[in-house]
Amino acid sequence: MLQIAFSPVYRLRLPEGHRFPMLKYELIHEQLLYEGTCTEANFFGPEPVDNRWVLGVHTPDYVQALQSLTVDPRMVRRIGFPLTPELIHREWIITQGTIDCTQRAQQDGVAMNVAGGTHHAYPDRGEGFCMLNDVGVAAHYLLETGQARQILVIDLDVHQGNGTAVMFRQEPRVFTFSMHGKDNYPLRKEQSDLDIELPTGTADELYLNTLYDTLPGLLKRVRPDFLFFVSGVDILESDRLGKLGVSREGCRQRDRFVFEQAIRHGLPIVASMGGGYSPRLTDIVEAHCNTFRTASDLFF
């Protein structure tokens, strides 16, 4: 049975007109239930993550500033959310959700977080709607508890996983792979272990062929025993921040290929949803739901 981390706190109340589509988390949950892809038994509610794991990848000063709501106002602006106790509680729960998914993925082959993929969170700061790096914290947890030897992060959000790249720059046991838009945020890219920059307007054929040509060889080269997948749907042609031209079907084929590779190599995989900013909420929700549908079809 596909196990999915979700909590009502994933949908944070934001000021009227805020550009982040926070409602998508609630709608993904509702749509998967409505169509019968999932029942309530598929979903589990995480508790807040223990600071022990957060402090493995984030600095004490930054964590203390978040929890005491004393983050510098300039950083708050870069993060893009109003700094509230509810926001911090949400971040700690989402991060534990990804940790919990690692345990379930080892049992079932796959587990998924309705939120997460917060790859712009650096060790000492947040930006781009990201405060805690859920994949970074969960990867550290696996290494520290001896549950993984070599981790591969497959980051296919349209924006580079800059925070994750810096977080594991000196950690050879975590290989960071980011395939993203060349002309997109962040304008100043960090250096992942492997970066592939796609030109503006990249559509299905080039996008998928690039992935097909890269991922199988990367798995042979890195030889991971655990995979994290940041499955952002901001690669869609409809996305107002993405600058690529991938169709919804192309996005679904991307997800299918990543999951098929995990199955072929016998590797547990945790998927965090990442970004999606299409003007029509339906486009975002349907593309994200395709990721869950595809995982359910392939693994179960």
Side-chain angles (χ1 to χ4, degrees):
M1 180 177 67
L2 179 62
Q3 298 191 64
I4 303 168
F6 173 75
S7 168
V9 305
Y10 281 18
R11 184 192 174 187
L12 181 75
R13 301 293 174 178
L14 293 174
E16 188 72 28
H18 195 283
R19 62 177 180 157
F20 189 86
M22 192 66 73
L23 181 59
K24 74 174 185 176
Y25 301 114
E26 183 178 303
L27 293 179
I28 291 168
H29 172 248
E30 291 179 357
Q31 177 61 33
L32 292 173
L33 291 174
Y34 173 78
E35 70 190 29
T37 297
C38 297
T39 69
E40 285 292 1
N42 291 99
F43 296 93
F44 66 90
E47 297 294 323
V49 64
D50 191 307
N51 276 359
R52 171 188 176 188
W53 307 118
V54 175
L55 291 167
V57 292
H58 289 290
T59 64
D61 286 349
Y62 177 53
V63 172
Q64 196 276 332
L66 287 173
Q67 293 188 307
S68 62
L69 304 179
T70 57
V71 177
D72 185 282
R74 291 169 296 181
M75 188 187 298
V76 174
R77 286 194 294 273
R78 290 196 297 270
I79 289 170
F81 291 140
L83 189 62
T84 63
E86 292 77 18
L87 174 66
I88 300 307
H89 180 63
R90 173 183 184 269
E91 292 301 305
W92 259 249
I93 285 182
I94 289 172
T95 300
Q96 182 62 43
T98 300
I99 290 178
D100 290 343
C101 282
T102 66
Q103 306 305 288
R104 288 157 170 81
Q106 290 179 85
Q107 300 167 13
D108 302 329
V110 65
M112 306 176 73
N113 197 338
V114 171
T118 44
H119 57 174
H120 300 312
Y122 283 75
D124 62 347
R125 66 186 189 275
E127 60 181 48
F129 305 129
C130 302
M131 280 147 287
L132 293 186
N133 193 312
D134 66 301
V135 168
V137 174
H140 169 74
Y141 168 82
L142 288 177
L143 293 174
E144 283 298 298
T145 56
Q147 297 180 58
R149 169 194 54 82
Q150 182 69 55
I151 293 168
L152 173 61
V153 178
I154 304 167
D155 192 333
L156 302 183
D157 191 277
V158 80
H159 305 107
Q160 191 207 32
N162 52 351
T164 313
V166 169
M167 190 166 279
F168 294 111
R169 185 172 287 162
Q170 303 300 323
E171 176 50 87
R173 296 176 296 173
V174 178
F175 190 101
T176 54
F177 163 45
S178 180
M179 191 166 94
H180 51 264
K182 178 180 179 181
D183 302 317
N184 214 313
Y185 173 90
L187 294 179
R188 187 181 72 82
K189 307 292 194 289
E190 304 290 353
Q191 184 174 344
S192 308
D193 291 304
L194 176 62
D195 287 299
I196 295 180
E197 296 190 328
L198 300 168
T200 293
T202 293
D204 290 12
E205 184 176 6
L206 176 58
Y207 186 94
L208 292 170
N209 285 338
T210 302
L211 182 62
Y212 297 161
D213 291 343
T214 303
L215 186 55
L218 192 58
L219 288 166
K220 292 179 182 178
R221 171 185 160 197
V222 177
R223 299 178 63 189
D225 52 10
F226 202 96
L227 305 176
F228 287 98
F229 175 27
V230 180
S231 56
V233 302
D234 41 12
I235 65 169
L236 292 177
E237 183 178 18
S238 60
D239 197 276
R240 58 190 171 87
L241 301 180
K243 301 184 181 180
L244 298 189
V246 179
S247 70
R248 192 186 298 171
E249 175 59 21
C251 190
R252 188 192 66 81
Q253 291 181 31
R254 174 202 71 175
D255 296 342
R256 184 176 187 87
F257 184 72
V258 173
F259 289 135
E260 285 176 340
Q261 289 297 303
I263 292 169
R264 183 166 294 130
H265 290 268
L267 298 172
I269 184 168
V270 168
S272 296
M273 286 305 99
Y277 308 96
S278 295
R280 287 201 328 150
L281 200 53
T282 300
D283 292 329
I284 302 173
V285 172
E286 273 299 296
H288 277 312
C289 284
N290 274 341
T291 310
F292 292 91
R293 295 168 186 140
T294 301
S296 182
D297 289 346
L298 288 175
F299 285 89
F300 306 97

